[in-house]
Amino acid sequence: MPKLLTRVAGALLALLGLALTVLGVWFATRLGGSGTAEFTARPTAGKPVVIPPDVLNRVDADVVVTARPSTGGSVWMALANPSDARDVLGDAQRVEVTGVSVRDWALTTSSRGSGPAPTLGTADLWRLQDDAEGPVTLTVEQADAPETLVIAADDGSVASVTLRVVDKTWFVESVVAALVGLFLLAAGAVLLWPRRPHHTTTESPTTEHPTTEHQEVAP
């Protein structure tokens, strides 16, 4: 029974170590030495895109958002107080970013609203805005949180939205996780490795028999 429990513990440690090693290496490779995480979405054509504060302000690091228009179009992007952005958008049809998917490195989205899209660029409530015929990038600083970011295409549609966050500690944590996984994997392998029993041979003491000397008796 003790040997069986040792084998089971070794198998569990090895599996846990393998999973942790693979996960750590995968994250470290994806993030790179700078700890850069990028998540992209390709929203539904013809609808503005909204990134709420629970996505923008979820981490302590600055968040860089880049929007790309469809070929031949232009894109507009702006930041505002969440309540002001809700008032302007109303019940307009929009694509709202709800979170991130680390497995696919993608932004998760959901369609909201049913009304027509309002004219957004003319409102005077935007704290920061920019537009261009090519990609537009805005940096969201957490010191100004909470904020809502709104993206719209003046001509054509929003082809893609990319959210980028840089945090070097993520890379370090990934490497540490991989090293811990390797240690657990090695420990599990040691427990699983069959041990040969040590046989102790006991030698019986040698009994010396007295030598009988034959003496010749003179006649």
Side-chain angles (χ1 to χ4, degrees):
M1 183 62 75
K3 290 184 178 181
L4 178 60
L5 292 177
T6 300
R7 293 284 182 87
V8 171
L12 292 176
L13 277 178
L15 289 174
L16 178 61
L18 180 61
L20 199 57
T21 300
V22 171
L23 193 63
V25 170
W26 182 69
F27 268 106
T29 303
R30 182 74 189 196
L31 295 170
S34 62
T36 302
E38 286 191 355
F39 306 93
T40 301
R42 290 170 174 77
T44 305
K47 296 181 181 179
V49 180
V50 179
I51 307 179
D54 57 351
V55 176
L56 278 181
N57 309 125
R58 192 170 184 174
V59 295
D60 294 331
D62 292 346
V63 177
V64 180
V65 182
T66 301
R68 292 176 174 80
S70 58
T71 304
S74 60
V75 68
W76 169 89
M77 181 162 41
L79 283 168
N81 181 279
S83 59
D84 292 337
R86 282 195 299 268
D87 291 341
V88 171
L89 288 166
D91 192 40
Q93 290 184 358
R94 60 191 182 277
V95 175
E96 187 166 315
V97 177
T98 56
V100 299
S101 172
V102 177
R103 183 182 63 181
D104 303 322
W105 297 98
L107 295 171
T108 58
T109 60
S110 177
S111 296
R112 305 285 174 84
S114 58
T119 304
L120 298 171
T122 57
D124 57 358
L125 53 88
W126 308 110
R127 184 184 68 80
L128 182 64
Q129 60 179 320
D130 193 9
D131 65 283
E133 293 183 356
V136 174
T137 299
L138 285 181
T139 300
V140 180
E141 298 177 355
Q142 302 305 325
D144 299 320
E147 287 186 301
T148 293
L149 188 142
V150 180
I151 307 167
D154 295 334
D155 300 308
S157 60
V158 180
S160 67
V161 176
T162 300
L163 187 150
R164 184 173 75 252
V165 183
V166 178
D167 193 335
K168 292 183 179 180
T169 59
W170 293 343
F171 174 76
V172 175
E173 290 171 352
S174 300
V175 173
V176 171
L179 293 176
V180 172
L182 286 174
F183 174 79
L184 294 177
L185 182 59
V190 170
L191 293 176
L192 284 172
W193 193 266
R195 299 180 182 179
R196 294 181 178 179
H198 298 284
H199 298 287
T200 304
T201 56
T202 304
E203 295 183 358
S204 57
T206 304
T207 305
E208 294 184 359
H209 299 282
T211 303
T212 305
E213 295 181 357
H214 298 279
Q215 296 180 352
E216 293 183 1
V217 180

